[in-house]
Amino acid sequence: GARPIAAVSKKEVMTVEESSRQNRRKAPEQRRQYPQRNMIFRGLALFAALGVSSLSVASAATTDPTGTDADDQKILRIPLHKRSKHEMVAQYLKKERDFLLSKLDGAVETSESIGLPVVAGAVQRRTAAALRGSGDDDDGGKDENVIIKDYANAQYYGTVHIGEPEQEFTVIWDTGSSDLWVPRKGCQNCGYCLPFTENTSVCKDKYDSTQSTDFEEDGSDFAIQYGSGSVTGFFSKDTVTLAQDIAVKSQKFAEVNDALGMGIGYVMGKFDGILGLAFDSIAIGGSTVFGSAIEQGLVKDPMFAFFLGDEGDGELTLGGYDKSKFTGDLAWVGLQKATYWQVKLDGAKMGGFSTKDTNCIIDSGTSLLVGPKSQVAELASKVGATQTPMGQYTIDCAQVDSLPPVVFTIDGKDYSVDGKDTVIQSSGLCLFAFMGMDLPEGAPQWILGDVFMRKFYTVFDQGNKRIGFAPVA
């Protein structure tokens, strides 16, 4: 989907201009490697075009996980491109229109058939399938399905390379799942390529195993069930390269041959696949890319960190964290269990609303704040937000500046997000960034997505099974 982003070696930092020039020279050759024949979503081409980012190298001074300086060779920073608020609102309006048309036609299931996640029944079926067995201990977690949300709302994307020579893909770096999957050559329902969509995200990049000298056949089945259908394929092994310098050998990943279950959100989304950053215990393939990088000694420390730009791009640091991205000290919180990045949530409050003790996961692959339906409905009512027929909430734009903050209490410490930052505003429409979702018993009850992570630099310490938070600089 994305225009290629030239990677930078550990010893040489490439300017944005140099990177862009190389991208333009490289793009036609790469596009020819991944032809796409599927054109079932004609007319959606103008919804997507992905900008070009550059890649830089970060570093650290000691072997202790204390942050990064400018001279280390084993800590990398990967840029994350941010989808604009205008695009999110435009997609919401399209989904609303499709939903209302389906109601008028007496065919409510039409919205679900194209993967619209906000229909209540679709959400319940998706999450029930996605979180089966999520109450199990770590030893029994490998049969869990890891998709706990819909990627149609995802905002941040980066690149990964697979194979030798490298084939580039735009992926969601997702702490709410554990597997890596990308579409394979010949994949059905994986966007479409036409001359006028060739350099847009509607035209997904496809993995071609015949072009890689490092390819190893595996063949075991891969499947994730969504409310509207399944995403299916099979596992293979190849070299997965992070920022070009971190080459993870013989990494198991999924080649998807049918992405119908992702629905319209996938076609319109600015990503080709998903790279999961949760734990091996819930990986369908049994191992994660970052876990393998740790085992192969390719990163300085067994941790990674997210900085999500508020009105711009973000950055993912692998092998450590970047002290320049936050203020004060990191507050460390131990995980409840090493499946998702799940911690105890002492409570949440906003205006006259408050919750009791519960739990939550910190999820880079979800843009919104997600909680139980009844609690989110109560919260929305307290602040004057109105639920749409699709289950999302809108609020009068005139009220935005007067909204109270939402406060999440984690390990006895309050993390406050200003009320105005819980609204996605564009073209006179204000989306309230909360969504109600009833997850199965034993599953995480709240999902703190990008709305939360934009305000707090977040370090995921896999080695010590903890998360660190600090206000962004």
Side-chain angles (χ1 to χ4, degrees):
R3 295 172 181 167
I5 298 176
V8 183
S9 72
K10 299 175 197 168
K11 297 181 180 179
E12 179 179 353
V13 177
M14 185 180 298
T15 66
V16 175
E17 292 79 8
E18 291 170 335
S19 177
S20 297
R21 284 196 296 270
Q22 289 197 14
N23 290 341
R24 287 192 291 270
R25 289 194 298 268
K26 184 178 174 185
E29 296 178 2
Q30 285 196 333
R31 287 295 171 185
R32 282 195 294 270
Q33 291 181 15
Y34 316 126
Q36 168 61 293
R37 304 184 183 94
N38 193 338
M39 302 179 184
I40 63 171
F41 293 111
R42 292 180 184 272
L44 292 176
L46 299 180
F47 277 95
L50 189 61
V52 177
S53 301
S54 64
L55 202 59
S56 60
V57 178
S59 47
T62 71
T63 56
D64 296 325
T66 55
T68 71
D69 295 318
D71 57 352
D72 192 275
Q73 301 294 305
K74 296 184 89 171
I75 297 177
L76 299 179
R77 290 188 294 189
I78 297 176
L80 302 175
H81 178 79
K82 182 178 184 293
R83 184 172 61 161
S84 70
K85 293 178 180 178
H86 174 75
E87 289 175 297
M88 287 196 71
V89 171
Q91 182 169 329
Y92 165 81
L93 291 172
K94 174 173 174 38
K95 290 193 294 184
E96 181 179 54
R97 183 189 66 215
D98 289 346
F99 177 81
L100 293 174
L101 286 173
S102 71
K103 292 279 285 186
L104 290 173
D105 291 340
V108 179
E109 293 301 310
T110 300
S111 291
E112 188 179 334
S113 71
I114 59 171
L116 300 185
V118 289
V119 181
V123 169
Q124 289 177 328
R125 286 190 291 277
R126 176 181 296 106
T127 52
L131 286 166
R132 64 177 184 270
S134 60
D136 296 343
D137 295 332
D138 294 355
D139 291 341
K142 289 190 178 180
D143 61 348
E144 296 180 37
N145 217 331
V146 297
I147 301 303
I148 61 174
K149 75 282 178 177
D150 168 57
Y151 292 108
N153 287 321
Q155 282 187 284
Y156 295 90
Y157 314 94
T159 57
V160 68
H161 300 84
I162 303 175
E164 179 58 43
E166 295 173 349
Q167 301 173 36
E168 184 175 273
F169 302 92
T170 300
V171 295
I172 297 173
W173 295 81
D174 179 27
T175 61
S177 68
S178 292
D179 292 275
L180 167 62
W181 67 259
V182 295
R184 67 184 296 266
K185 183 178 179 180
C187 177
Q188 300 178 16
N189 304 305
C190 293
Y192 66 96
C193 292
L194 292 172
F196 61 92
T197 68
E198 191 169 334
N199 290 319
T200 75
S201 57
V202 176
C203 178
K204 307 298 182 185
D205 284 326
K206 309 294 192 303
Y207 172 75
D208 185 350
S209 62
T210 66
Q211 299 300 310
S212 175
T213 58
D214 287 352
F215 167 76
E216 301 174 44
E217 187 174 351
D218 181 90
S220 54
D221 291 338
F222 172 80
I224 291 176
Q225 184 68 34
Y226 290 81
S228 55
S230 60
V231 172
T232 59
F234 54 86
F235 282 103
S236 296
K237 292 182 180 180
D238 209 328
T239 298
V240 175
T241 306
L242 314 177
Q244 190 166 346
D245 296 301
I246 301 297
V248 183
K249 300 296 186 182
S250 297
Q251 177 59 44
K252 195 172 183 178
F253 73 100
E255 295 186 49
V256 166
N257 52 32
D258 191 340
L260 178 63
M262 291 293 282
I264 201 72
Y266 178 54
V267 177
M268 296 175 65
K270 294 184 174 181
F271 63 98
D272 303 311
I274 310 295
L275 195 152
L277 290 169
F279 288 87
D280 290 354
S281 58
I282 59 170
I284 299 173
S287 68
T288 64
V289 175
F290 190 68
S292 297
I294 294 170
E295 291 177 2
Q296 295 177 26
L298 301 176
V299 292
K300 180 179 180 294
D301 289 308
M303 59 171 56
F304 56 90
F306 277 89
F307 168 78
L308 301 185
D310 195 357
E311 293 297 335
D313 292 347
E315 191 172 78
L316 168 62
T317 302
L318 301 176
Y321 57 86
D322 188 343
K323 291 180 179 179
S324 70
K325 292 293 192 292
F326 61 90
T327 61
D329 297 324
L330 288 164
W332 293 102
V333 181
L335 299 181
Q336 288 187 321
K337 54 183 178 180
T339 51
Y340 306 105
W341 290 91
Q342 180 177 321
V343 296
K344 182 177 181 294
L345 179 63
D346 300 334
K349 58 186 178 182
M350 187 176 192
F353 167 82
S354 63
T355 68
K356 299 179 180 179
D357 288 355
T358 181
N359 57 54
C360 67
I361 64 170
I362 314 301
D363 185 5
S364 62
T366 292
S367 288
L368 309 181
L369 301 168
V370 181
K373 283 184 183 179
S374 61
Q375 295 182 25
V376 171
E378 180 185 352
L379 183 154
S381 176
K382 296 284 187 182
V383 301
T386 303
Q387 189 174 27
T388 71
M390 298 190 305
Q392 287 187 246
Y393 291 88
T394 59
I395 195 163
D396 185 348
C397 292
Q399 295 181 237
V400 171
D401 290 338
S402 61
L403 282 174
V406 57
V407 180
F408 296 98
T409 304
I410 301 172
D411 198 31
K413 183 178 177 64
D414 288 345
Y415 296 88
S416 180
V417 178
D418 290 344
K420 63 181 177 59
D421 293 322
T422 65
V423 175
I424 301 169
Q425 183 173 359
S426 178
S427 304
L429 179 66
C430 289
L431 298 179
F432 192 47
F434 282 83
M435 178 176 286
M437 184 181 296
D438 289 334
L439 300 176
E441 184 177 353
Q445 294 303 293
W446 281 80
I447 302 174
L448 305 189
D450 299 340
V451 171
F452 178 85
M453 292 177 64
R454 270 194 287 271
K455 298 304 173 184
F456 299 99
Y457 188 77
T458 307
V459 182
F460 297 82
D461 186 348
Q462 188 161 322
N464 293 301
K465 295 181 173 57
R466 61 180 183 170
I467 303 178
F469 302 106
V472 296

